[in-house]
Amino acid sequence: MNKYITFTLLTLLSPAVWAAQTEPRNWTAIIMFACVVGLSLFITFKAAKKTVSKEDFYTAGNAISAKQNGLAIAGDYMSASTLLGISSMVFFKGYDGFIYVTGFFVCWPILTFLMAERLRNLGKYTFADIVSYRLDPQRTRILATCGSLIVVCCYLILQMVGAGQLIKLLFGLDYKIAVMLVGCLMLVYVIFGGMLATTWIQIVKAILLLFGGTVLVFLAFKAFGFSLNNMAEAAVNAHKLGQKVLEPGPMLSNPINTLSMSIGLIFGLAGLPHILMRFFTVPNAAEARRSVFYASGYIGYFFIVVCILGLASIAIVGTNPQYFVDGQLGGDLIGGSNMVAMHLAKALGGNLLLGFLSAVAFATILAVVAGLALAGASAISHDLFQKVIKKGKATEKQEMVVSRLSVVVLGVIAIACGILFEKMNIAFLMGLTFGIAASANFPVLILSMYWKDLTTRGAIFGGFVGIISAITFVVLSPTVWVGVLGHEKAIFPFDNPALFSMPLAFLVSIVVSLTDKSERAELDRQGFELQVVRSELGAQQGSFEKMPLH
Amino acid sequence: MNYPQEANIVLDMKFKKMVKQRNRFAVFLSLIVLSIYFIFIGTATFRPELLAMPLEASKITIGLPIAAIVIVSSWVITGSYIFITNQYFDKQKEKLRKEYHYE
C-alpha cells in the first residue's frame, strides 16, 4: 500500500512542478500545496490500514464522534465556491450576498428537526436504505440510485470545472492537468482510504478553512481599527452603488425566482446524498443529532465571516488598482470575478496568506470531490449491485470491488466532463443539483418517514416525476434554453425549478399512493408502524439487517 | 407479525404519545425557523426600505445585523431542540427500551 501511495505522489507531483516552471509561480503557494497533498495522502495511508470491511469503507465503521462528524459535515457543505463565490457576491452586489447566505443556512435546522435521527436509525449505508425500509426494495433502490447519481454527477462536474479554473489561476497549472490532478488524487483517497480517509481529509480541511477565514477576518478588522462601522463606511465610499450596497438590491426583483431558489436550497440539502451519508458514520441517533448542531455552528460562523470578508474587500480590494486588469478600478478583476477573497488575502497577509488560502481552497475541492465520489460509488455498489442485481447475495469482497470500480468510473467521468465543459457556462448545474435533490430525493425520503400511506408505486411515480420535471424545467430555463442552446426566449422563465417540480413530485406521490390498491401497497402500509418503532428507538443490537416485510 | 417486541411497542400508549409529541415538536420548530427566514426574505423583497434603515448615526443598515440574527437564531433553535430532546424524549425512549427489552 505504501509503495502505491509513494508512487502516486511522485507521478502526481512531477507534472505539477514541471508545469509550474513554465508559468509565473508562487512558491509559497506551491510549497503549501505540496504540504496539503502530502498530509492528505498520509491520512489516506493511515486510513487504508484500518479500512478492511465494507462497514469501514462506507461508514468508517460508525466510529466517528459527533464533534468530528460535525466538522466533516461542515466541510462537505463549505466548498471552495462558498468561500470564493459568496465573498465575490458581496463584493459585487453588497447586501444581496447576505440574503443569499441565509438561504444556504436555514436548511440545517430543518434537516436536524425532521430527519437527522430517523436517518441514523433507519439507514445503514445509503439513504436508499430508509426509502426501501418498508417499500419494495428493488424498485425504490433503482429510483434512489438514479436520484443520487444525477445529483452526484452534476455536483461533481460543477466542482471539477471550478477546481480546474481555480488551480490554473492559483498555481499556474494547465487547466487539463489541474482537472486530472484533482481527479487522480480523489481516486487515491477514496479507493484506498474509503470513508475514513474521506472524513478525516474533510475534518482537516474544515479546520484549515475555519482557521484561514478567522485569520483573514481578524486582519480585516485590524485594518479598520476593529470597527464594523469604519469598515461599512469605507465600503460605502468605495462601492459604485454607494449607500445602496448595504441595502436589499436587484437580486430580489423577481420574487418567484427567489422563492424557488430558497425552496431548492432548503429542501435540496435534505436530498444531497453526500451529506446524508455522513449521518451513517456516527454510532447512534443522539450523536447524529449533535453532529448537525456542531456542523451548523461552524457553517453559520463561516458564512458570517465570509460576508464580512466580502464587505472588507469592497473597501480594500475595490480601491486598489493593482488587483484590476490594466489597473482600471471598477473594471475586471485579475483572475476573474471569483478571486476577491484571494486578492484580499494578498492585500492583508502578503504571499504567505495567499499561498495558505490557495492551498486550503485546493484541499477543499479535493475533499468535497472525494465525498461526492464516495456517495456515488456506494449508491452503485450497495444499492444497485448488491441489493438490486445480486438481491443481497453478493459477497462483501465482490461488493467492495464493485464500489472501487465505480469510484474509478465516476472519476473518469468527472475528469472527462471537467475537461469537456471547460468553456461552457455550467451555472445551470447548480439549479439542477438542488432542483433534483429537492424534487426527487427529498419528497420520497420525507414521505417514507412520515406518511403511512406512501406506497411503492407512489414513491416511484413521484420520484421519477420529480427527476424528469426538474430536468425539463432546467432545460427550458433562461440559463440553458437561451444561454446554452441559444434560443431567443426561455419557455420556463425561472432558473430554479424547485418551486414547481417539488410540489409536483409530492402531488403525484400522494395521488398515486392513495389510489394504489395493489397487494404491495397493503404491505407498504402495514410496515409503517414497525418502521416508526425502529426510527424512534433505533435498531436492536445485531438486528440491523432485520427488515420487517421483505 | 414476527416481531412481538415491536408489535407491543406500537400498541403502547406511552409510545404513541411520545411519537406524536415529538413529531409536533419537530414540525413546530421547523415552522418557526421557516417563518423567520421567509419573513426576512419577504421583507427584503417587498419592503426593502425596512432593511435599508441606517443603524443610529452610522452607515450600517439594520439589514446587516438582521441577516446575522437570522443565522444565529436558527442555530440557537437547533440547540434548544437538541437540549430538549436529550433531556426529555431520550429519557422516555430509554424507559420504553428497558420496559420492552428492546436493546
Side-chain angles (χ1 to χ4, degrees), chain A residues 412-426:
Chain A
V412 171
I413 293 177
I415 293 173
C417 291
I419 291 172
L420 208 65
F421 290 169
E422 180 187 354
K423 299 269 189 290
M424 252 173 74
N425 176 5
I426 51 157

PDB file of all heavy atoms in Angstrom, chain A residues 412-426:
ATOM      1  N   VAL A 412     -13.321   8.951 -13.816  1.00  0.00           N
ATOM      2  CA  VAL A 412     -13.066   9.165 -15.241  1.00  0.00           C
ATOM      3  C   VAL A 412     -14.129  10.088 -15.839  1.00  0.00           C
ATOM      4  O   VAL A 412     -13.817  11.031 -16.576  1.00  0.00           O
ATOM      5  CB  VAL A 412     -13.024   7.807 -15.993  1.00  0.00           C
ATOM      6  CG1 VAL A 412     -12.986   8.024 -17.493  1.00  0.00           C
ATOM      7  CG2 VAL A 412     -11.828   7.001 -15.531  1.00  0.00           C
ATOM      8  N   ILE A 413     -15.405   9.835 -15.465  1.00  0.00           N
ATOM      9  CA  ILE A 413     -16.480  10.707 -15.964  1.00  0.00           C
ATOM     10  C   ILE A 413     -16.221  12.151 -15.521  1.00  0.00           C
ATOM     11  O   ILE A 413     -16.340  13.089 -16.307  1.00  0.00           O
ATOM     12  CB  ILE A 413     -17.854  10.243 -15.436  1.00  0.00           C
ATOM     13  CG1 ILE A 413     -18.200   8.894 -16.048  1.00  0.00           C
ATOM     14  CG2 ILE A 413     -18.944  11.261 -15.758  1.00  0.00           C
ATOM     15  CD1 ILE A 413     -19.499   8.315 -15.549  1.00  0.00           C
ATOM     16  N   ALA A 414     -15.853  12.311 -14.242  1.00  0.00           N
ATOM     17  CA  ALA A 414     -15.646  13.659 -13.719  1.00  0.00           C
ATOM     18  C   ALA A 414     -14.518  14.360 -14.459  1.00  0.00           C
ATOM     19  O   ALA A 414     -14.639  15.530 -14.841  1.00  0.00           O
ATOM     20  CB  ALA A 414     -15.349  13.594 -12.224  1.00  0.00           C
ATOM     21  N   ILE A 415     -13.402  13.635 -14.697  1.00  0.00           N
ATOM     22  CA  ILE A 415     -12.272  14.256 -15.393  1.00  0.00           C
ATOM     23  C   ILE A 415     -12.677  14.602 -16.828  1.00  0.00           C
ATOM     24  O   ILE A 415     -12.455  15.722 -17.304  1.00  0.00           O
ATOM     25  CB  ILE A 415     -11.051  13.317 -15.387  1.00  0.00           C
ATOM     26  CG1 ILE A 415     -10.534  13.144 -13.953  1.00  0.00           C
ATOM     27  CG2 ILE A 415      -9.936  13.868 -16.273  1.00  0.00           C
ATOM     28  CD1 ILE A 415      -9.441  12.108 -13.809  1.00  0.00           C
ATOM     29  N   ALA A 416     -13.318  13.632 -17.511  1.00  0.00           N
ATOM     30  CA  ALA A 416     -13.695  13.865 -18.906  1.00  0.00           C
ATOM     31  C   ALA A 416     -14.651  15.050 -19.023  1.00  0.00           C
ATOM     32  O   ALA A 416     -14.439  15.962 -19.832  1.00  0.00           O
ATOM     33  CB  ALA A 416     -14.335  12.606 -19.485  1.00  0.00           C
ATOM     34  N   CYS A 417     -15.700  15.053 -18.192  1.00  0.00           N
ATOM     35  CA  CYS A 417     -16.660  16.154 -18.272  1.00  0.00           C
ATOM     36  C   CYS A 417     -16.018  17.464 -17.845  1.00  0.00           C
ATOM     37  O   CYS A 417     -16.308  18.515 -18.413  1.00  0.00           O
ATOM     38  CB  CYS A 417     -17.874  15.884 -17.389  1.00  0.00           C
ATOM     39  SG  CYS A 417     -18.879  14.557 -18.014  1.00  0.00           S
ATOM     40  N   GLY A 418     -15.138  17.385 -16.839  1.00  0.00           N
ATOM     41  CA  GLY A 418     -14.451  18.596 -16.399  1.00  0.00           C
ATOM     42  C   GLY A 418     -13.696  19.236 -17.545  1.00  0.00           C
ATOM     43  O   GLY A 418     -13.727  20.450 -17.738  1.00  0.00           O
ATOM     44  N   ILE A 419     -13.018  18.402 -18.350  1.00  0.00           N
ATOM     45  CA  ILE A 419     -12.250  18.940 -19.474  1.00  0.00           C
ATOM     46  C   ILE A 419     -13.186  19.410 -20.593  1.00  0.00           C
ATOM     47  O   ILE A 419     -13.010  20.471 -21.175  1.00  0.00           O
ATOM     48  CB  ILE A 419     -11.255  17.876 -19.984  1.00  0.00           C
ATOM     49  CG1 ILE A 419     -10.170  17.668 -18.915  1.00  0.00           C
ATOM     50  CG2 ILE A 419     -10.620  18.294 -21.302  1.00  0.00           C
ATOM     51  CD1 ILE A 419      -9.230  16.528 -19.188  1.00  0.00           C
ATOM     52  N   LEU A 420     -14.234  18.609 -20.832  1.00  0.00           N
ATOM     53  CA  LEU A 420     -15.182  18.915 -21.908  1.00  0.00           C
ATOM     54  C   LEU A 420     -15.910  20.236 -21.670  1.00  0.00           C
ATOM     55  O   LEU A 420     -16.147  21.018 -22.601  1.00  0.00           O
ATOM     56  CB  LEU A 420     -16.207  17.774 -21.965  1.00  0.00           C
ATOM     57  CG  LEU A 420     -16.855  17.478 -23.295  1.00  0.00           C
ATOM     58  CD1 LEU A 420     -15.796  16.984 -24.275  1.00  0.00           C
ATOM     59  CD2 LEU A 420     -17.945  16.427 -23.096  1.00  0.00           C
ATOM     60  N   PHE A 421     -16.264  20.493 -20.407  1.00  0.00           N
ATOM     61  CA  PHE A 421     -17.112  21.650 -20.099  1.00  0.00           C
ATOM     62  C   PHE A 421     -16.304  22.888 -19.726  1.00  0.00           C
ATOM     63  O   PHE A 421     -16.863  23.830 -19.205  1.00  0.00           O
ATOM     64  CB  PHE A 421     -18.080  21.322 -18.943  1.00  0.00           C
ATOM     65  CG  PHE A 421     -19.151  20.343 -19.317  1.00  0.00           C
ATOM     66  CD1 PHE A 421     -19.971  19.767 -18.354  1.00  0.00           C
ATOM     67  CD2 PHE A 421     -19.347  19.998 -20.645  1.00  0.00           C
ATOM     68  CE1 PHE A 421     -20.958  18.857 -18.709  1.00  0.00           C
ATOM     69  CE2 PHE A 421     -20.331  19.090 -21.010  1.00  0.00           C
ATOM     70  CZ  PHE A 421     -21.132  18.522 -20.033  1.00  0.00           C
ATOM     71  N   GLU A 422     -14.991  22.864 -20.008  1.00  0.00           N
ATOM     72  CA  GLU A 422     -14.136  23.970 -19.559  1.00  0.00           C
ATOM     73  C   GLU A 422     -14.712  25.340 -19.915  1.00  0.00           C
ATOM     74  O   GLU A 422     -14.823  26.226 -19.085  1.00  0.00           O
ATOM     75  CB  GLU A 422     -12.734  23.834 -20.166  1.00  0.00           C
ATOM     76  CG  GLU A 422     -11.818  24.963 -19.720  1.00  0.00           C
ATOM     77  CD  GLU A 422     -10.476  24.968 -20.431  1.00  0.00           C
ATOM     78  OE1 GLU A 422     -10.207  24.027 -21.201  1.00  0.00           O
ATOM     79  OE2 GLU A 422      -9.717  25.913 -20.209  1.00  0.00           O
ATOM     80  N   LYS A 423     -15.095  25.490 -21.181  1.00  0.00           N
ATOM     81  CA  LYS A 423     -15.502  26.820 -21.644  1.00  0.00           C
ATOM     82  C   LYS A 423     -17.006  27.046 -21.541  1.00  0.00           C
ATOM     83  O   LYS A 423     -17.508  28.075 -21.922  1.00  0.00           O
ATOM     84  CB  LYS A 423     -15.068  26.992 -23.105  1.00  0.00           C
ATOM     85  CG  LYS A 423     -13.566  26.896 -23.323  1.00  0.00           C
ATOM     86  CD  LYS A 423     -12.899  28.269 -23.224  1.00  0.00           C
ATOM     87  CE  LYS A 423     -11.448  28.239 -23.653  1.00  0.00           C
ATOM     88  NZ  LYS A 423     -10.577  27.528 -22.707  1.00  0.00           N
ATOM     89  N   MET A 424     -17.718  26.025 -21.074  1.00  0.00           N
ATOM     90  CA  MET A 424     -19.175  26.175 -21.060  1.00  0.00           C
ATOM     91  C   MET A 424     -19.651  26.888 -19.812  1.00  0.00           C
ATOM     92  O   MET A 424     -19.028  26.830 -18.768  1.00  0.00           O
ATOM     93  CB  MET A 424     -19.829  24.801 -21.133  1.00  0.00           C
ATOM     94  CG  MET A 424     -20.474  24.532 -22.462  1.00  0.00           C
ATOM     95  SD  MET A 424     -21.044  22.848 -22.527  1.00  0.00           S
ATOM     96  CE  MET A 424     -22.467  22.899 -21.490  1.00  0.00           C
ATOM     97  N   ASN A 425     -20.800  27.553 -19.945  1.00  0.00           N
ATOM     98  CA  ASN A 425     -21.419  28.142 -18.773  1.00  0.00           C
ATOM     99  C   ASN A 425     -22.213  27.044 -18.074  1.00  0.00           C
ATOM    100  O   ASN A 425     -23.241  26.603 -18.560  1.00  0.00           O
ATOM    101  CB  ASN A 425     -22.337  29.280 -19.207  1.00  0.00           C
ATOM    102  CG  ASN A 425     -23.084  29.865 -18.039  1.00  0.00           C
ATOM    103  OD1 ASN A 425     -22.848  29.482 -16.889  1.00  0.00           O
ATOM    104  ND2 ASN A 425     -23.984  30.774 -18.318  1.00  0.00           N
ATOM    105  N   ILE A 426     -21.718  26.593 -16.934  1.00  0.00           N
ATOM    106  CA  ILE A 426     -22.362  25.441 -16.306  1.00  0.00           C
ATOM    107  C   ILE A 426     -23.120  25.844 -15.050  1.00  0.00           C
ATOM    108  O   ILE A 426     -23.424  25.013 -14.210  1.00  0.00           O
ATOM    109  CB  ILE A 426     -21.339  24.347 -15.962  1.00  0.00           C
ATOM    110  CG1 ILE A 426     -20.186  24.966 -15.196  1.00  0.00           C
ATOM    111  CG2 ILE A 426     -20.868  23.638 -17.197  1.00  0.00           C
ATOM    112  CD1 ILE A 426     -19.455  23.955 -14.380  1.00  0.00           C
TER     113      ILE A 426
END
